[in-house]
Amino acid sequence: MQDQMKMQVDITQSTPIKSENGNQVFQEAVILRKISKFLTGTSEDAVVPIPVFVDVKTGKILIEMLPKELRAEYEEYNKTV
């Protein structure tokens, strides 16, 4: 069953993902978001880690990999980096 789920993909048929500066090398980072205990219904605020990719040359976040709801906020962040 697991063999049926594997896709046969020729990596040479893929296209690179580039930053706005044309860079293609990224490193993993994490954005931490706090959610109020009143929204979560728990006794304490919750912390949610969101994995992101950062351009190693500029330090800017690869915005297209973020959840759509957060993109505008982190576009502003990228302007200050």
Side-chain angles (χ1 to χ4, degrees), residues 2 15 20 22 33 43 46-47 51 57 60-61 64-66 78:
Q2 197 172 24
T15 57
E20 62 185 30
R33 303 285 295 198
S43 62
V47 175
K57 287 186 180 178
K60 293 183 178 184
I61 295 170
E64 68 188 58
M65 302 302 284
L66 283 174
N78 275 354

Side-chain angles (χ1 to χ4, degrees), residues 9-44:
V9 178
D10 180 358
I11 198 71
T12 64
Q13 298 298 311
S14 66
T15 57
I17 294 177
K18 298 180 181 181
S19 70
E20 62 185 30
N21 295 353
N23 301 324
Q24 297 181 46
V25 179
F26 301 93
Q27 67 185 37
E28 289 184 80
V30 177
I31 293 172
L32 298 175
R33 303 285 295 198
K34 185 168 36 170
I35 302 176
S36 168
K37 62 185 175 186
F38 301 109
L39 294 175
T40 62
T42 59
S43 62
E44 296 182 10

